[in-house]
Amino acid sequence: MQIEETALKGVFILSPKVWGDDRGWFFESYSKRTLEKLGIKCDFVQDNHSKSAQVHTLRGIHFQKNPSCQAKLVRCTAGRIYDYAVDLRKDSPDYLKWIRVELSAENKKQIFIPRGFGHAFLTLEENCEVMYKTDDFYSPEHDGGIRWNDPDIGIDWGDIAPVLSEKDRKSPFVSESAPEFYM
């Protein structure tokens, strides 16, 4: 597995080594030992799997508030998505900065997003499936979100009309959130 640092400290792109022949292909999608050798030390406790039927489905910007913050290891198992990590650590020099990476069933890349970051993705095709591991269990009372088009973050989503959940449509802007909302 190869690891690529991003512009945001602690966020990494992982590319697996793929073995293929006339039967198809094989790759190791997760190995705690391999990730620890690469400097990623997480004890993942939950797997999540989502399917988005429509192109331009936008999920996010989501996170879990303290004390239930989550690190995530995200991959796209069907279709193509743009995946986004937003630094929500108030004391970070990268506070409110974001990165985008294309994840697809074809490229088999994954993104590691540490605790203290918001996460979102935008589908680029119909019938996308996204799977991700978290290092803490989902906690409804610590569930958090920021409006997808928050001007203080300024994500460039392109010229789209996103398909949004009611929750994502009504999430607050950073300027409307209490300081304890973030790490």
Side-chain angles (χ1 to χ4, degrees):
M1 187 171 292
Q2 293 180 335
I3 189 167
E4 175 187 339
E5 291 186 33
T6 70
L8 298 179
K9 185 171 177 55
V11 178
F12 300 103
I13 309 302
L14 307 171
S15 299
K17 182 171 182 169
V18 180
W19 291 271
D21 59 26
D22 59 343
R23 300 169 297 163
W25 49 260
F26 170 86
F27 72 95
E28 191 175 81
S29 62
Y30 173 73
S31 166
K32 184 174 183 171
R33 178 178 51 216
T34 300
L35 290 183
E36 284 180 352
K37 286 180 185 175
L38 297 172
I40 298 172
K41 294 181 170 93
C42 274
D43 188 16
F44 292 111
V45 298
Q46 182 173 315
D47 279 355
N48 300 312
H49 191 151
S50 73
K51 179 177 181 178
S52 301
Q54 298 177 19
V55 68
H56 296 152
T57 296
L58 196 159
R59 296 181 187 257
I61 303 168
H62 301 151
F63 61 94
Q64 292 256 135
K65 299 177 232 174
N66 275 327
S68 296
C69 293
Q70 295 177 323
K72 296 179 180 180
L73 181 62
V74 184
R75 67 189 185 114
C76 180
T77 57
R80 280 183 323 120
I81 65 168
Y82 282 145
D83 202 89
Y84 299 81
V86 180
D87 192 340
L88 299 178
R89 302 170 298 174
K90 282 200 170 255
D91 294 334
S92 169
D94 294 326
Y95 180 60
L96 299 183
K97 292 183 181 173
W98 57 274
I99 60 135
R100 176 181 82 185
V101 62
E102 183 175 315
L103 304 178
S104 69
E106 185 177 329
N107 73 19
K108 298 171 185 51
K109 290 182 178 182
Q110 299 181 72
I111 184 170
F112 174 76
I113 303 171
R115 290 175 173 222
F117 281 74
H119 175 242
F121 66 84
L122 175 68
T123 63
L124 303 175
E125 300 178 1
E126 293 179 346
N127 298 313
C128 289
E129 292 188 34
V130 175
M131 297 181 70
Y132 60 98
K133 297 181 172 308
T134 63
D135 74 339
D136 200 355
F137 297 103
Y138 174 71
S139 172
E141 60 271 17
H142 298 99
D143 187 40
I146 299 170
R147 187 85 51 92
W148 66 279
N149 59 349
D150 190 313
D152 288 332
I153 298 171
I155 293 177
D156 179 6
W157 300 101
D159 188 23
I160 61 159
V163 178
L164 297 164
S165 69
E166 190 65 21
K167 172 187 163 185
D168 290 344
R169 193 179 345 272
K170 291 182 175 181
S171 290
F173 293 106
V174 171
S175 61
E176 300 170 330
S177 303
E180 67 275 5
F181 206 59
Y182 311 111
M183 277 188 84

